[in-house]
Amino acid sequence: DVKVTQSSRYLVKRTGEKVFLECVQDMDHENMFWYRQDPGLGLRLIYFSYDVKMKEKGDIPEGYSVSREKKERFSLILESASTNQTSMYLCASSFRYQETQYFGPGTRLLVL
Amino acid sequence: AQTVTQSQPEMSVQEAETVTLSCTYDTSENNYYLFWYKQPPSRQMILVIRQEAYKQQNATENRFSVNFQKAAKSFSLKISDSQLGDTAMYFCAFISNFGNEKLTFGTGTRLTIIP
């Protein structure tokens, strides 16, 4: 079974803090994704990566950056957290781009 | 840009009944994939069913089946003999078969199965 894990289930941070969210997959998947999930908006893609050190912006990259130094690990960075970044963050991975994405459990981030 | 519309924000049905969740999408592509994902309360999002647009036959997975109407750009999910464990958010999603197009999600339908 594919396993995607995220470093935290719940996180509380202060405005202006730098926040790191980590995602690890164990299936040697090429592609990894970071989504933000908000009620009534579905899932919106923040960034994705199709290979180590490669990244592409999604629909809502502003205020976020990513890092993929190893194939199995994809990090989402909030350089200076703001209250409008309070949300559920979901990581996913897939072998090929059009194939099924496997999701992590999510990190619920609250920025005060 | 592709769009995915789920017009039912919330639904509820009695246990053991059949329920259909609707999804429509807009695209000019001919080759693409459609998905239904399920997100149970406080649990991981998982794939329910996947449909390849070039396949005429509707995908099925145990109690879950789809009604894929390519011309109408409709992709509804039918859950038969609904169970309490089917309570979840259900997301419809679309991805083109070309290039690095992103997976586009609908806004979701919250389904509650009533005992």
Side-chain angles (χ1 to χ4, degrees):
Chain A
D1 274 357
V2 176
K3 193 161 186 185
V4 181
T5 57
Q6 294 183 229
S7 49
S8 307
R9 290 300 301 270
Y10 301 96
L11 214 49
V12 180
K13 295 292 182 181
R14 297 273 177 201
T15 301
E17 279 192 77
K18 192 168 186 175
V19 182
F20 293 88
L21 303 181
E22 287 219 312
C23 174
V24 178
Q25 51 95 2
D26 67 356
M27 281 301 290
D28 203 34
H29 282 171
E30 304 291 329
N31 303 292
M32 296 188 74
F33 309 84
W34 275 106
Y35 294 94
R36 174 176 169 157
Q37 182 181 5
D38 298 289
L41 296 178
L43 277 73
R44 294 178 291 167
L45 182 64
I46 304 171
Y47 269 97
F48 69 94
S49 168
Y50 53 90
D51 201 351
V52 174
K53 296 191 188 295
M54 306 304 288
K55 60 186 179 185
E56 292 276 348
K57 291 180 181 178
D59 294 323
I60 52 166
E62 296 78 21
Y64 303 95
S65 62
V66 291
S67 171
R68 192 164 180 204
E69 296 296 320
K70 292 185 178 181
K71 191 174 187 180
E72 68 272 16
R73 191 178 299 268
F74 192 35
S75 301
L76 179 70
I77 303 151
L78 287 64
E79 296 290 343
S80 177
S82 63
T83 55
N84 63 13
Q85 292 178 310
T86 291
S87 188
M88 169 72 90
Y89 291 88
L90 296 177
C91 174
S93 72
S94 70
F95 182 55
R96 290 195 192 90
Y97 200 78
Q98 284 80 12
E99 291 192 356
T100 301
Q101 291 187 16
Y102 295 87
F103 285 82
T107 295
R108 191 169 292 281
L109 173 66
L110 173 63
V111 182
L112 299 173
Chain B
Q2 286 84 5
T3 58
V4 177
T5 301
Q6 293 180 250
S7 58
Q8 305 149 313
E10 294 190 25
M11 296 184 72
S12 60
V13 293
Q14 294 289 139
E15 192 175 5
E17 287 186 352
T18 293
V19 61
T20 299
L21 281 59
S22 66
C23 172
T24 58
Y25 57 95
D26 187 22
T27 184
S28 57
E29 303 283 352
N30 196 41
N31 289 321
Y32 48 86
Y33 299 86
L34 293 159
F35 304 82
W36 277 100
Y37 282 92
K38 168 186 177 181
Q39 187 180 39
S42 302
R43 290 180 61 191
Q44 219 140 330
M45 180 115 59
I46 57 172
L47 177 73
V48 175
I49 208 160
R50 178 176 181 258
Q51 175 82 42
E52 298 170 49
Y54 64 86
K55 288 189 177 177
Q56 301 270 357
Q57 190 171 7
N58 289 326
T60 63
E61 194 69 45
N62 300 318
R63 297 181 295 106
F64 298 86
S65 61
V66 296
N67 183 5
F68 173 47
Q69 302 286 330
K70 192 173 183 180
K73 296 179 183 174
S74 170
F75 183 61
S76 60
L77 175 69
K78 185 170 89 170
I79 307 173
S80 303
D81 185 27
S82 57
Q83 301 174 1
L84 296 179
D86 296 333
T87 292
M89 280 289 288
Y90 287 82
F91 291 96
C92 179
F94 167 103
I95 192 167
S96 169
N97 195 30
F98 296 103
N100 275 354
E101 293 294 320
K102 66 180 179 71
L103 186 63
T104 300
F105 287 85
T107 52
T109 296
R110 185 178 301 279
L111 175 66
T112 302
I113 309 300
I114 303 165

